[in-house]
Amino acid sequence: CTCSSCGEQGPQAEGQISLSSDGVRTQNWRQPLGRGDVLDVTFTSRSLAPCTEPMDDMFVGPPLPLTPRQRSILDGLQLPKLQMYPVPPNSEPGDSEEDRRRKLLQMYQEVALDLHTGMYLTQLTADRDYSDIHCQLMEDMTTLKLDQSNGRIIEFPLTNVSKVYRILKSNDKFYTPGSAAAVGGTKCEHIVVVEFLRRKLAFVYQEVQYAQRFMICMELLIRRAQQKQALRALTPTFPPKQAAHGACPTPRQVYEAMSRPNCDRPASPPPDASLERSL
């Protein structure tokens, strides 16, 4: 900038300042992004990133800022009740049972939150073609929604899943994990198959650790959805004592009956008992 007559005409004189950007037009101000945009739901999830990190840090990335809604989802996501829990891929041989359970819970919550936010996965179709589809868990965390970018959105209830398994694909042939033909040194694709009653969903991964991670977390989500459905089936719609008398309870009566601990209480008389006594 240039300034003229600043000191000659005294402190009350007007100064003329010339601003120009000609000298900086040739500079390149572009800088690469160091990390993905946390607000971009189409950004590839960390579970699909290339496997270039050690096993200890592969599943534990830098903590991302969470919204209050995401924090509420994580607090409500606990491991389903199982007789035996799977071993997470990032566990060490010397880890205790408590450490394995903690790593499993953290991995489970991260994958569930990624699916709830929405992530792109590679699907192997029935024609053996590859297509990128957008997968997202609905608000109840029990329904998987698939968008194939063709105008159709398909919902798959996790309670209808019959089994989840992993297979290997090499040279356009399929093998079971651990078979001699699959470990011959050729590069294999790891395919996680989620089988429903009438349809199969096949997701392709290039690294075995990420395939195992996705498969374990899908199994936990499926068990959680099935246990929630069984709990709803065992929960009565109306309190049994009032339903036996044929009276429709009010919402307040339903809430009070469901919030009471299970203990024996004297049964309330039917609504017309006083009328019968007076007659």
Side-chain angles (χ1 to χ4, degrees):
C1 65
T2 59
C3 180
S4 61
S5 303
C6 292
E8 298 177 356
Q9 301 181 8
Q12 302 296 329
E14 294 183 356
Q16 297 181 358
I17 300 176
S18 175
L19 300 178
S20 175
S21 60
D22 295 336
V24 297
R25 288 181 178 177
T26 58
Q27 299 181 8
N28 187 10
W29 293 97
R30 297 179 180 178
Q31 296 181 359
L33 292 176
R35 59 187 300 181
D37 187 1
V38 297
L39 300 180
D40 185 7
V41 298
T42 63
F43 185 77
T44 304
S45 172
R46 56 181 169 268
S47 61
L48 300 179
C51 182
T52 57
E53 302 177 355
M55 279 292 296
D56 293 340
D57 302 331
M58 186 166 54
F59 301 106
V60 184
L64 300 179
L66 298 178
T67 63
R69 175 58 182 161
Q70 291 175 333
R71 175 57 57 187
S72 175
I73 292 174
L74 287 184
D75 294 340
L77 275 177
Q78 300 298 325
L79 294 175
K81 296 181 180 179
L82 301 175
Q83 293 183 353
M84 182 178 298
Y85 289 90
V87 179
N90 60 334
S91 63
E92 298 292 338
D95 288 346
S96 62
E97 186 66 24
E98 182 180 356
D99 292 336
R100 291 180 180 178
R101 190 77 60 86
R102 177 182 53 82
K103 291 182 179 180
L104 180 63
L105 176 61
Q106 181 180 3
M107 182 183 69
Y108 167 62
Q109 291 178 340
E110 287 180 355
V111 174
L113 187 60
D114 286 342
L115 286 174
H116 181 268
T117 305
M119 57 192 299
Y120 281 96
L121 297 177
T122 302
Q123 181 188 16
L124 181 65
T125 63
D127 300 333
R128 297 191 178 184
D129 293 333
Y130 297 89
S131 63
D132 293 333
I133 59 174
H134 187 265
C135 302
Q136 187 175 12
L137 277 175
M138 298 185 66
E139 201 66 25
D140 57 356
M141 305 293 288
T142 61
T143 304
L144 185 64
K145 181 173 61 176
L146 268 61
D147 185 1
Q148 298 178 340
S149 302
N150 58 359
R152 297 177 58 190
I153 298 179
I154 309 176
E155 297 179 359
F156 295 91
L158 296 182
T159 53
N160 294 343
V161 176
S162 58
K163 60 180 177 179
V164 182
Y165 56 93
R166 181 172 61 93
I167 58 177
L168 305 179
K169 182 176 181 290
S170 177
N171 296 328
D172 207 21
K173 295 182 180 180
F174 298 94
Y175 305 93
T176 58
S179 61
V183 294
T186 59
K187 186 174 179 60
C188 299
E189 293 178 341
H190 303 269
I191 302 175
V192 179
V193 181
V194 182
E195 184 173 340
F196 294 83
L197 297 178
R198 298 181 179 179
R199 186 165 179 174
K200 297 180 181 180
L201 297 177
F203 302 100
V204 182
Y205 286 88
Q206 300 298 326
E207 303 294 338
V208 60
Q209 293 87 355
Y210 293 106
Q212 293 176 346
R213 179 176 187 255
F214 179 77
M215 183 179 66
I216 291 175
C217 294
M218 281 299 299
E219 290 177 342
L220 294 175
L221 285 171
I222 292 167
R223 289 296 184 92
R224 174 182 177 272
Q226 293 173 349
Q227 291 179 4
K228 288 188 64 176
Q229 185 187 46
L231 182 61
R232 285 195 298 265
L234 295 176
T235 303
T237 306
F238 300 108
K241 294 182 179 180
Q242 295 190 7
H245 299 308
C248 182
T250 63
R252 182 179 181 84
Q253 290 173 337
V254 173
Y255 174 77
E256 291 177 353
M258 299 300 296
S259 59
R260 293 172 188 166
N262 294 329
C263 60
D264 296 333
R265 291 185 176 87
S268 58
D272 56 346
S274 59
L275 181 60
E276 292 178 358
R277 286 195 296 268
S278 62
L279 295 177

